[in-house]
Short mmCIF file of all heavy atoms in Angstrom, two decimals:
data_model
loop_
_atom_site.label_atom_id
_atom_site.label_comp_id
_atom_site.label_asym_id
_atom_site.label_seq_id
_atom_site.Cartn_x
_atom_site.Cartn_y
_atom_site.Cartn_z
N MET H 1 137.23 -247.91 244.26
CA MET H 1 136.32 -249.06 244.09
C MET H 1 135.26 -248.66 243.12
O MET H 1 134.89 -249.51 242.26
CB MET H 1 135.84 -249.52 245.52
CG MET H 1 134.93 -250.69 245.37
SD MET H 1 135.83 -252.14 245.07
CE MET H 1 134.62 -253.35 245.44
N GLU H 2 134.66 -247.51 243.28
CA GLU H 2 133.57 -247.06 242.45
C GLU H 2 133.93 -246.94 240.95
O GLU H 2 133.17 -247.39 239.98
CB GLU H 2 133.05 -245.73 242.91
CG GLU H 2 131.76 -245.20 242.17
CD GLU H 2 130.56 -246.02 242.45
OE1 GLU H 2 130.42 -246.67 243.52
OE2 GLU H 2 129.69 -246.17 241.49
N SER H 3 135.17 -246.49 240.71
CA SER H 3 135.63 -246.30 239.33
C SER H 3 135.93 -247.69 238.72
O SER H 3 135.60 -247.81 237.43
CB SER H 3 136.89 -245.44 239.24
OG SER H 3 137.92 -246.06 239.82
N ARG H 4 136.35 -248.58 239.49
CA ARG H 4 136.59 -249.98 238.92
C ARG H 4 135.29 -250.63 238.53
O ARG H 4 135.18 -251.24 237.55
CB ARG H 4 137.28 -250.80 239.92
CG ARG H 4 138.87 -250.40 240.06
CD ARG H 4 139.60 -251.35 240.86
NE ARG H 4 139.67 -252.68 240.22
CZ ARG H 4 140.06 -253.75 240.86
NH1 ARG H 4 140.43 -253.77 242.05
NH2 ARG H 4 140.17 -254.90 240.14
N LEU H 5 134.31 -250.42 239.39
CA LEU H 5 133.01 -251.00 239.10
C LEU H 5 132.41 -250.41 237.83
O LEU H 5 131.82 -251.09 237.02
CB LEU H 5 132.05 -250.78 240.36
CG LEU H 5 130.97 -251.76 240.53
CD1 LEU H 5 131.60 -253.10 240.97
CD2 LEU H 5 130.01 -251.32 241.59
N SER H 6 132.52 -249.06 237.77
CA SER H 6 132.05 -248.39 236.60
C SER H 6 132.76 -248.89 235.39
O SER H 6 132.12 -249.10 234.29
CB SER H 6 132.17 -246.87 236.79
OG SER H 6 131.75 -246.20 235.63
N GLU H 7 134.08 -249.06 235.44
CA GLU H 7 134.81 -249.52 234.31
C GLU H 7 134.43 -250.86 233.84
O GLU H 7 134.25 -251.25 232.64
CB GLU H 7 136.35 -249.51 234.68
CG GLU H 7 137.24 -249.99 233.53
CD GLU H 7 138.70 -250.06 233.98
OE1 GLU H 7 139.10 -249.18 234.74
OE2 GLU H 7 139.45 -250.84 233.41
N LEU H 8 134.15 -251.82 234.81
CA LEU H 8 133.69 -253.15 234.51
C LEU H 8 132.37 -253.12 233.92
O LEU H 8 132.06 -253.85 232.88
CB LEU H 8 133.64 -253.99 235.74
CG LEU H 8 135.01 -254.39 236.35
CD1 LEU H 8 134.84 -255.12 237.75
CD2 LEU H 8 135.84 -255.29 235.35
N GLU H 9 131.43 -252.21 234.35
CA GLU H 9 130.13 -252.15 233.68
C GLU H 9 130.24 -251.65 232.29
O GLU H 9 129.48 -252.14 231.37
CB GLU H 9 129.23 -251.14 234.43
CG GLU H 9 128.83 -251.73 235.78
CD GLU H 9 128.01 -250.67 236.65
OE1 GLU H 9 128.13 -249.47 236.31
OE2 GLU H 9 127.41 -251.14 237.64
N VAL H 10 131.11 -250.78 231.97
CA VAL H 10 131.30 -250.27 230.63
C VAL H 10 131.89 -251.35 229.74
O VAL H 10 131.41 -251.61 228.60
CB VAL H 10 132.26 -249.02 230.58
CG1 VAL H 10 132.72 -248.69 229.16
CG2 VAL H 10 131.60 -247.93 231.23
N ARG H 11 132.82 -252.11 230.30
CA ARG H 11 133.41 -253.20 229.46
C ARG H 11 132.35 -254.32 229.21
O ARG H 11 132.29 -254.83 228.11
CB ARG H 11 134.59 -253.81 230.28
CG ARG H 11 135.78 -252.94 230.29
CD ARG H 11 136.93 -253.53 231.03
NE ARG H 11 137.48 -254.67 230.37
CZ ARG H 11 138.39 -255.46 230.80
NH1 ARG H 11 138.91 -255.24 232.05
NH2 ARG H 11 138.82 -256.48 230.15
N ILE H 12 131.55 -254.59 230.20
CA ILE H 12 130.51 -255.61 229.94
C ILE H 12 129.47 -255.09 228.94
O ILE H 12 129.07 -255.89 228.06
CB ILE H 12 129.78 -255.93 231.28
CG1 ILE H 12 130.62 -256.69 232.16
CG2 ILE H 12 128.49 -256.74 231.01
CD1 ILE H 12 130.18 -257.03 233.55
N ALA H 13 129.13 -253.83 228.90
CA ALA H 13 128.23 -253.27 227.95
C ALA H 13 128.88 -253.39 226.54
O ALA H 13 128.23 -253.81 225.56
CB ALA H 13 127.97 -251.83 228.24
N PHE H 14 130.18 -253.10 226.29
CA PHE H 14 130.80 -253.30 225.05
C PHE H 14 130.87 -254.74 224.68
O PHE H 14 130.67 -255.08 223.42
CB PHE H 14 132.29 -252.69 225.09
CG PHE H 14 132.29 -251.21 224.90
CD1 PHE H 14 132.98 -250.41 225.84
CD2 PHE H 14 131.67 -250.54 223.87
CE1 PHE H 14 133.02 -249.05 225.75
CE2 PHE H 14 131.68 -249.15 223.74
CZ PHE H 14 132.38 -248.36 224.70
N GLN H 15 131.06 -255.60 225.58
CA GLN H 15 131.12 -257.02 225.25
C GLN H 15 129.77 -257.53 224.83
O GLN H 15 129.65 -258.39 223.90
CB GLN H 15 131.66 -257.85 226.52
CG GLN H 15 133.13 -257.67 226.62
CD GLN H 15 133.68 -258.37 227.85
OE1 GLN H 15 132.95 -258.94 228.64
NE2 GLN H 15 135.03 -258.43 228.05
N ASP H 16 128.70 -257.12 225.51
CA ASP H 16 127.41 -257.50 225.13
C ASP H 16 127.00 -257.04 223.71
O ASP H 16 126.48 -257.77 222.88
CB ASP H 16 126.33 -256.93 226.09
CG ASP H 16 126.30 -257.65 227.42
OD1 ASP H 16 126.89 -258.77 227.50
OD2 ASP H 16 125.74 -257.11 228.37
N GLU H 17 127.49 -255.83 223.36
CA GLU H 17 127.26 -255.25 222.08
C GLU H 17 128.00 -256.08 221.06
O GLU H 17 127.49 -256.39 219.91
CB GLU H 17 127.70 -253.76 222.06
CG GLU H 17 127.21 -252.98 220.80
CD GLU H 17 127.55 -251.52 220.98
OE1 GLU H 17 127.29 -250.92 222.00
OE2 GLU H 17 128.09 -250.98 219.97
N LEU H 18 129.28 -256.34 221.32
CA LEU H 18 130.07 -257.15 220.42
C LEU H 18 129.49 -258.56 220.19
O LEU H 18 129.45 -259.14 219.11
CB LEU H 18 131.51 -257.26 220.87
CG LEU H 18 132.47 -258.12 220.08
CD1 LEU H 18 132.59 -257.56 218.65
CD2 LEU H 18 133.85 -258.15 220.74
N LEU H 19 129.01 -259.18 221.35
CA LEU H 19 128.39 -260.44 221.28
C LEU H 19 127.13 -260.47 220.37
O LEU H 19 126.95 -261.38 219.57
CB LEU H 19 128.09 -260.95 222.69
CG LEU H 19 127.63 -262.38 222.77
CD1 LEU H 19 128.57 -263.41 222.23
CD2 LEU H 19 127.23 -262.62 224.25
N ASP H 20 126.31 -259.43 220.49
CA ASP H 20 125.16 -259.36 219.65
C ASP H 20 125.51 -259.21 218.18
O ASP H 20 124.93 -259.88 217.28
CB ASP H 20 124.33 -258.12 220.07
CG ASP H 20 123.61 -258.37 221.37
OD1 ASP H 20 123.45 -259.52 221.80
OD2 ASP H 20 123.20 -257.34 222.02
N ALA H 21 126.54 -258.38 217.88
CA ALA H 21 127.01 -258.18 216.51
C ALA H 21 127.55 -259.51 215.92
O ALA H 21 127.34 -259.85 214.79
CB ALA H 21 128.04 -257.16 216.46
N LEU H 22 128.33 -260.29 216.73
CA LEU H 22 128.85 -261.58 216.30
C LEU H 22 127.76 -262.58 216.11
O LEU H 22 127.80 -263.38 215.11
CB LEU H 22 129.91 -262.06 217.31
CG LEU H 22 131.20 -261.35 217.45
CD1 LEU H 22 132.08 -261.83 218.58
CD2 LEU H 22 132.03 -261.42 216.06
N ASN H 23 126.78 -262.65 216.97
CA ASN H 23 125.60 -263.60 216.79
C ASN H 23 124.88 -263.22 215.51
O ASN H 23 124.50 -264.21 214.77
CB ASN H 23 124.70 -263.44 217.93
CG ASN H 23 125.18 -264.23 219.16
OD1 ASN H 23 125.94 -265.14 219.06
ND2 ASN H 23 124.75 -263.79 220.38
N LEU H 24 124.68 -261.96 215.19
CA LEU H 24 124.05 -261.58 213.92
C LEU H 24 124.90 -262.04 212.80
O LEU H 24 124.39 -262.56 211.73
CB LEU H 24 123.81 -260.08 213.88
CG LEU H 24 123.08 -259.44 212.67
CD1 LEU H 24 121.70 -260.14 212.62
CD2 LEU H 24 123.02 -258.05 212.79
N SER H 25 126.20 -261.88 212.86
CA SER H 25 127.07 -262.21 211.70
C SER H 25 127.07 -263.74 211.53
O SER H 25 126.98 -264.23 210.33
CB SER H 25 128.41 -261.83 212.06
OG SER H 25 129.38 -262.22 211.05
N VAL H 26 127.06 -264.49 212.53
CA VAL H 26 126.98 -265.97 212.57
C VAL H 26 125.66 -266.45 211.90
O VAL H 26 125.59 -267.37 211.02
CB VAL H 26 127.25 -266.62 213.84
CG1 VAL H 26 126.92 -268.15 213.87
CG2 VAL H 26 128.68 -266.46 214.28
N ALA H 27 124.59 -265.77 212.28
CA ALA H 27 123.24 -266.14 211.81
C ALA H 27 123.18 -265.87 210.30
O ALA H 27 122.67 -266.70 209.56
CB ALA H 27 122.14 -265.35 212.51
N ARG H 28 123.76 -264.76 209.78
CA ARG H 28 123.79 -264.43 208.45
C ARG H 28 124.67 -265.51 207.61
O ARG H 28 124.25 -265.93 206.52
CB ARG H 28 124.27 -263.06 208.15
CG ARG H 28 123.35 -261.98 208.54
CD ARG H 28 123.90 -260.62 208.14
NE ARG H 28 123.14 -259.50 208.68
CZ ARG H 28 123.58 -258.33 209.06
NH1 ARG H 28 124.84 -258.11 209.02
NH2 ARG H 28 122.76 -257.42 209.52
N GLN H 29 125.73 -265.77 208.25
CA GLN H 29 126.61 -266.80 207.55
C GLN H 29 125.95 -268.12 207.45
O GLN H 29 126.07 -268.80 206.47
CB GLN H 29 127.92 -266.96 208.26
CG GLN H 29 128.83 -265.71 208.10
CD GLN H 29 130.08 -265.81 208.95
OE1 GLN H 29 130.27 -266.62 209.74
NE2 GLN H 29 131.11 -264.91 208.64
N GLN H 30 125.21 -268.50 208.44
CA GLN H 30 124.43 -269.80 208.40
C GLN H 30 123.31 -269.77 207.31
O GLN H 30 123.15 -270.75 206.65
CB GLN H 30 123.83 -270.15 209.82
CG GLN H 30 123.24 -271.47 209.86
CD GLN H 30 124.18 -272.54 209.60
OE1 GLN H 30 125.29 -272.63 210.20
NE2 GLN H 30 123.87 -273.49 208.72
N GLN H 31 122.68 -268.63 207.21
CA GLN H 31 121.76 -268.50 206.12
C GLN H 31 122.40 -268.67 204.77
O GLN H 31 121.87 -269.34 203.80
CB GLN H 31 120.99 -267.19 206.21
CG GLN H 31 120.00 -267.07 207.31
CD GLN H 31 119.40 -265.64 207.36
OE1 GLN H 31 119.89 -264.72 206.82
NE2 GLN H 31 118.30 -265.57 208.07
N GLN H 32 123.53 -268.03 204.60
CA GLN H 32 124.31 -268.18 203.31
C GLN H 32 124.74 -269.60 203.09
O GLN H 32 124.63 -270.09 201.96
CB GLN H 32 125.53 -267.21 203.36
CG GLN H 32 125.16 -265.74 203.23
CD GLN H 32 126.40 -264.90 203.30
OE1 GLN H 32 127.35 -265.23 203.88
NE2 GLN H 32 126.33 -263.64 202.81
N ILE H 33 125.15 -270.27 204.13
CA ILE H 33 125.62 -271.64 203.98
C ILE H 33 124.40 -272.59 203.59
O ILE H 33 124.50 -273.39 202.66
CB ILE H 33 126.26 -272.15 205.28
CG1 ILE H 33 127.64 -271.52 205.51
CG2 ILE H 33 126.31 -273.70 205.30
CD1 ILE H 33 128.22 -271.77 206.86
N ASP H 34 123.32 -272.27 204.22
CA ASP H 34 122.08 -273.02 203.88
C ASP H 34 121.66 -272.89 202.42
O ASP H 34 121.33 -273.76 201.70
CB ASP H 34 120.91 -272.68 204.76
CG ASP H 34 121.18 -273.12 206.23
OD1 ASP H 34 122.01 -274.05 206.45
OD2 ASP H 34 120.51 -272.56 207.17
N GLN H 35 121.74 -271.58 201.94
CA GLN H 35 121.44 -271.32 200.52
C GLN H 35 122.37 -271.88 199.61
O GLN H 35 121.96 -272.58 198.57
CB GLN H 35 121.34 -269.74 200.37
CG GLN H 35 120.27 -269.08 200.98
CD GLN H 35 120.38 -267.56 200.86
OE1 GLN H 35 121.40 -267.00 200.49
NE2 GLN H 35 119.31 -266.81 201.24
N LEU H 36 123.71 -271.94 199.93
CA LEU H 36 124.69 -272.56 199.06
C LEU H 36 124.50 -274.13 199.07
O LEU H 36 124.70 -274.72 198.04
CB LEU H 36 126.04 -272.21 199.52
CG LEU H 36 126.43 -270.71 199.31
CD1 LEU H 36 127.82 -270.40 199.95
CD2 LEU H 36 126.61 -270.43 197.80
N GLN H 37 124.18 -274.65 200.14
CA GLN H 37 123.94 -276.10 200.19
C GLN H 37 122.73 -276.43 199.34
O GLN H 37 122.78 -277.46 198.59
CB GLN H 37 123.72 -276.58 201.62
CG GLN H 37 125.00 -276.61 202.44
CD GLN H 37 124.81 -277.15 203.81
OE1 GLN H 37 123.71 -276.89 204.41
NE2 GLN H 37 125.82 -277.71 204.43
N GLN H 38 121.68 -275.65 199.37
CA GLN H 38 120.46 -275.89 198.58
C GLN H 38 120.77 -275.81 197.11
O GLN H 38 120.38 -276.67 196.26
CB GLN H 38 119.37 -274.93 198.95
CG GLN H 38 118.13 -275.19 198.16
CD GLN H 38 117.47 -276.57 198.36
OE1 GLN H 38 117.67 -277.20 199.40
NE2 GLN H 38 116.78 -277.04 197.41
N GLN H 39 121.65 -274.79 196.76
CA GLN H 39 121.99 -274.58 195.37
C GLN H 39 122.86 -275.82 194.87
O GLN H 39 122.71 -276.24 193.72
CB GLN H 39 122.80 -273.31 195.18
CG GLN H 39 121.89 -272.05 195.32
CD GLN H 39 122.74 -270.83 195.26
OE1 GLN H 39 123.97 -270.83 195.22
NE2 GLN H 39 122.08 -269.69 195.25
N LEU H 40 123.70 -276.29 195.76
CA LEU H 40 124.55 -277.35 195.40
C LEU H 40 123.74 -278.65 195.22
O LEU H 40 123.99 -279.39 194.28
CB LEU H 40 125.63 -277.57 196.55
CG LEU H 40 126.69 -278.57 196.25
CD1 LEU H 40 127.51 -278.33 194.98
CD2 LEU H 40 127.62 -278.72 197.47
N ARG H 41 122.75 -278.80 196.06
CA ARG H 41 121.92 -280.04 195.88
C ARG H 41 121.18 -279.94 194.52
O ARG H 41 121.04 -280.98 193.89
CB ARG H 41 120.83 -280.05 197.05
CG ARG H 41 121.36 -280.70 198.27
CD ARG H 41 120.19 -280.91 199.30
NE ARG H 41 120.73 -280.64 200.64
CZ ARG H 41 120.55 -279.54 201.31
NH1 ARG H 41 119.78 -278.61 200.79
NH2 ARG H 41 121.05 -279.34 202.49
N LEU H 42 120.69 -278.78 194.22
CA LEU H 42 119.94 -278.63 192.95
C LEU H 42 120.87 -278.87 191.80
O LEU H 42 120.55 -279.58 190.77
CB LEU H 42 119.37 -277.22 192.89
CG LEU H 42 118.15 -276.88 193.71
CD1 LEU H 42 117.73 -275.50 193.67
CD2 LEU H 42 117.03 -277.79 193.34
N LEU H 43 122.04 -278.37 191.83
CA LEU H 43 123.03 -278.62 190.69
C LEU H 43 123.41 -280.04 190.69
O LEU H 43 123.55 -280.69 189.54
CB LEU H 43 124.35 -277.86 190.90
CG LEU H 43 124.18 -276.28 190.64
CD1 LEU H 43 125.53 -275.61 191.10
CD2 LEU H 43 123.88 -276.07 189.20
N TYR H 44 123.51 -280.74 191.79
CA TYR H 44 123.89 -282.15 191.76
C TYR H 44 122.75 -282.96 191.16
O TYR H 44 122.95 -283.92 190.41
CB TYR H 44 124.16 -282.63 193.20
CG TYR H 44 124.53 -284.05 193.38
CD1 TYR H 44 125.82 -284.47 192.91
CD2 TYR H 44 123.66 -285.00 193.89
CE1 TYR H 44 126.16 -285.82 193.02
CE2 TYR H 44 124.03 -286.30 194.01
CZ TYR H 44 125.16 -286.73 193.62
OH TYR H 44 125.58 -288.05 193.69
N GLN H 45 121.52 -282.63 191.51
CA GLN H 45 120.37 -283.29 191.00
C GLN H 45 120.28 -283.09 189.46
O GLN H 45 120.01 -284.07 188.69
CB GLN H 45 119.08 -282.91 191.63
CG GLN H 45 118.87 -283.30 193.08
CD GLN H 45 117.62 -282.66 193.75
OE1 GLN H 45 117.00 -281.84 193.17
NE2 GLN H 45 117.39 -283.16 194.95
N GLN H 46 120.59 -281.87 189.06
CA GLN H 46 120.53 -281.60 187.62
C GLN H 46 121.58 -282.45 186.87
O GLN H 46 121.38 -282.94 185.84
CB GLN H 46 120.73 -280.14 187.27
CG GLN H 46 119.55 -279.31 187.62
CD GLN H 46 119.90 -277.76 187.45
OE1 GLN H 46 120.97 -277.42 187.09
NE2 GLN H 46 118.91 -276.98 187.72
N MET H 47 122.76 -282.52 187.57
CA MET H 47 123.82 -283.27 186.89
C MET H 47 123.51 -284.84 186.86
O MET H 47 123.78 -285.42 185.82
CB MET H 47 125.15 -283.12 187.65
CG MET H 47 126.31 -283.73 187.12
SD MET H 47 127.72 -283.68 188.21
CE MET H 47 127.29 -285.01 189.41
N ARG H 48 122.86 -285.32 187.82
CA ARG H 48 122.52 -286.75 187.82
C ARG H 48 121.42 -287.03 186.86
O ARG H 48 121.37 -288.12 186.27
CB ARG H 48 122.08 -287.18 189.29
CG ARG H 48 123.26 -287.20 190.10
CD ARG H 48 122.94 -287.90 191.41
NE ARG H 48 122.38 -289.20 191.15
CZ ARG H 48 122.69 -290.26 191.81
NH1 ARG H 48 123.44 -290.23 192.83
NH2 ARG H 48 122.25 -291.46 191.40
N THR H 49 120.48 -286.12 186.64
CA THR H 49 119.39 -286.40 185.76
C THR H 49 119.72 -286.06 184.28
O THR H 49 119.00 -286.47 183.35
CB THR H 49 118.15 -285.58 186.11
OG1 THR H 49 118.46 -284.16 186.06
CG2 THR H 49 117.60 -285.90 187.49
N GLN H 50 120.83 -285.47 184.02
CA GLN H 50 121.24 -285.09 182.63
C GLN H 50 121.73 -286.32 182.00
O GLN H 50 122.60 -287.08 182.58
CB GLN H 50 122.31 -284.08 182.74
CG GLN H 50 122.70 -283.54 181.33
CD GLN H 50 123.86 -282.46 181.44
OE1 GLN H 50 124.68 -282.49 182.37
NE2 GLN H 50 123.88 -281.56 180.54
N SER H 51 121.24 -286.64 180.83
CA SER H 51 121.60 -287.90 180.14
C SER H 51 122.94 -287.66 179.41
O SER H 51 123.22 -286.45 179.08
CB SER H 51 120.49 -288.25 179.13
OG SER H 51 120.42 -287.32 178.13
N PRO H 52 123.76 -288.70 179.26
CA PRO H 52 125.00 -288.48 178.57
C PRO H 52 124.97 -287.88 177.17
O PRO H 52 125.84 -287.12 176.74
CB PRO H 52 125.65 -289.92 178.56
CG PRO H 52 124.85 -290.68 179.51
CD PRO H 52 123.53 -290.01 179.71
N SER H 53 123.84 -288.08 176.50
CA SER H 53 123.65 -287.55 175.20
C SER H 53 123.42 -286.02 175.23
O SER H 53 123.71 -285.25 174.28
CB SER H 53 122.51 -288.21 174.43
OG SER H 53 121.30 -287.95 175.04
N ASP H 54 122.91 -285.49 176.37
CA ASP H 54 122.69 -284.01 176.57
C ASP H 54 124.08 -283.36 176.79
O ASP H 54 124.17 -282.13 176.53
CB ASP H 54 121.80 -283.79 177.75
CG ASP H 54 120.33 -284.28 177.42
OD1 ASP H 54 120.07 -284.50 176.27
OD2 ASP H 54 119.61 -284.41 178.45
N ALA H 55 125.01 -284.06 177.33
CA ALA H 55 126.29 -283.39 177.71
C ALA H 55 127.05 -283.12 176.39
O ALA H 55 127.08 -283.98 175.46
CB ALA H 55 127.07 -284.32 178.61
N PRO H 56 127.69 -281.97 176.27
CA PRO H 56 128.50 -281.71 175.11
C PRO H 56 129.74 -282.59 175.05
O PRO H 56 130.28 -282.91 176.15
CB PRO H 56 128.84 -280.19 175.22
CG PRO H 56 128.71 -279.90 176.70
CD PRO H 56 127.65 -280.95 177.21
N ALA H 57 130.18 -282.86 173.88
CA ALA H 57 131.47 -283.70 173.77
C ALA H 57 132.67 -282.80 174.26
O ALA H 57 132.71 -281.63 173.93
CB ALA H 57 131.63 -284.13 172.36
N ARG H 58 133.48 -283.42 175.07
CA ARG H 58 134.58 -282.68 175.56
C ARG H 58 135.90 -283.26 174.98
O ARG H 58 136.04 -284.43 174.72
CB ARG H 58 134.63 -282.79 177.13
CG ARG H 58 133.48 -282.03 177.72
CD ARG H 58 133.70 -282.00 179.22
NE ARG H 58 135.08 -281.55 179.53
CZ ARG H 58 135.33 -280.62 180.43
NH1 ARG H 58 134.38 -280.14 181.16
NH2 ARG H 58 136.55 -280.21 180.61
N SER H 59 136.77 -282.35 174.82
CA SER H 59 138.13 -282.67 174.30
C SER H 59 139.16 -282.38 175.46
O SER H 59 138.87 -281.47 176.29
CB SER H 59 138.41 -281.82 173.10
OG SER H 59 139.77 -281.91 172.78
N LEU H 60 140.29 -283.02 175.39
CA LEU H 60 141.38 -282.77 176.31
C LEU H 60 141.85 -281.33 176.12
O LEU H 60 142.36 -280.76 177.12
CB LEU H 60 142.42 -283.81 176.17
CG LEU H 60 142.20 -285.14 176.67
CD1 LEU H 60 143.35 -286.01 176.45
CD2 LEU H 60 141.82 -285.20 178.13
N LEU H 61 141.62 -280.81 174.92
CA LEU H 61 142.16 -279.39 174.73
C LEU H 61 141.29 -278.41 175.48
O LEU H 61 141.76 -277.34 175.81
CB LEU H 61 142.07 -279.09 173.23
CG LEU H 61 143.09 -279.87 172.34
CD1 LEU H 61 142.88 -279.53 170.90
CD2 LEU H 61 144.57 -279.59 172.74
N ASP H 62 140.08 -278.75 175.85
CA ASP H 62 139.20 -277.91 176.70
C ASP H 62 139.80 -277.71 178.08
O ASP H 62 139.50 -276.74 178.68
CB ASP H 62 137.83 -278.49 176.76
CG ASP H 62 137.10 -278.51 175.40
OD1 ASP H 62 137.47 -277.74 174.53
OD2 ASP H 62 136.16 -279.35 175.29
N ASP H 63 140.63 -278.59 178.47
CA ASP H 63 141.17 -278.56 179.86
C ASP H 63 142.43 -277.88 179.97
O ASP H 63 143.04 -277.65 181.07
CB ASP H 63 141.32 -279.97 180.43
CG ASP H 63 139.99 -280.65 180.66
OD1 ASP H 63 138.96 -279.99 180.75
OD2 ASP H 63 139.96 -281.92 180.73
N VAL H 64 143.01 -277.39 178.77
CA VAL H 64 144.31 -276.73 178.82
C VAL H 64 144.07 -275.27 179.32
O VAL H 64 143.15 -274.56 178.91
CB VAL H 64 144.82 -276.74 177.41
CG1 VAL H 64 146.18 -275.85 177.37
CG2 VAL H 64 145.23 -278.08 176.84
N PRO H 65 144.90 -274.89 180.34
CA PRO H 65 144.71 -273.49 180.83
C PRO H 65 144.92 -272.48 179.74
O PRO H 65 145.68 -272.71 178.81
CB PRO H 65 145.86 -273.47 181.97
CG PRO H 65 146.17 -274.85 182.25
CD PRO H 65 145.90 -275.69 180.96
N PRO H 66 144.38 -271.33 179.84
CA PRO H 66 144.47 -270.34 178.83
C PRO H 66 145.85 -269.82 178.58
O PRO H 66 146.12 -269.17 177.51
CB PRO H 66 143.56 -269.22 179.34
CG PRO H 66 143.31 -269.46 180.70
CD PRO H 66 143.56 -270.91 180.96
N HIS H 67 146.80 -269.93 179.54
CA HIS H 67 148.10 -269.37 179.32
C HIS H 67 149.00 -270.18 178.46
O HIS H 67 150.18 -269.84 178.17
CB HIS H 67 148.80 -269.05 180.68
CG HIS H 67 149.00 -270.31 181.53
ND1 HIS H 67 148.04 -270.81 182.35
CD2 HIS H 67 150.11 -271.09 181.71
CE1 HIS H 67 148.50 -271.95 182.94
NE2 HIS H 67 149.73 -272.04 182.58
N TYR H 68 148.51 -271.37 178.05
CA TYR H 68 149.38 -272.23 177.06
C TYR H 68 149.10 -271.80 175.74
O TYR H 68 148.03 -271.56 175.23
CB TYR H 68 149.03 -273.68 177.36
CG TYR H 68 149.68 -274.22 178.56
CD1 TYR H 68 149.01 -274.58 179.69
CD2 TYR H 68 151.09 -274.45 178.63
CE1 TYR H 68 149.56 -275.17 180.82
CE2 TYR H 68 151.75 -274.97 179.72
CZ TYR H 68 150.91 -275.23 180.81
OH TYR H 68 151.59 -275.75 181.96
#
């Protein structure tokens, strides 16, 4: 009984450590998502405020993949 209790305590300790590592990972990912969303908002605002005359003229040949 004592060994089973000890084994469970060790497993809980490892699970707590893993949970802390996962929480840290999720927090970092959320920060990255927030930064990417902010960058996307800024790019979207720049795109909307750019006048059509500022945009370079595009040709359909610009869309052809490089392997053609």
Side-chain angles (χ1 to χ4, degrees):
M1 178 77 166
E2 183 69 30
S3 69
R4 288 188 65 191
L5 209 67
S6 179
E7 181 182 328
L8 287 174
E9 289 173 346
V10 168
R11 288 179 67 186
I12 288 174
F14 280 127
Q15 287 178 351
D16 285 343
E17 194 175 312
L18 178 62
L19 185 60
D20 289 340
L22 289 173
N23 282 336
L24 183 62
S25 178
V26 168
R28 284 183 188 148
Q29 288 176 347
Q30 186 61 50
Q31 287 177 341
Q32 289 175 337
I33 289 170
D34 292 341
Q35 289 174 349
L36 290 171
Q37 285 178 333
Q38 181 62 27
Q39 290 173 355
L40 186 60
R41 276 189 220 102
L42 289 172
L43 287 172
Y44 182 71
Q45 289 173 354
Q46 287 176 359
M47 184 188 75
R48 289 191 57 139
T49 58
Q50 185 179 30
S51 67
S53 62
D54 292 343
R58 292 193 49 138
S59 167
L60 289 177
L61 292 176
D62 294 337
D63 294 337
V64 175
H67 63 278
Y68 282 109

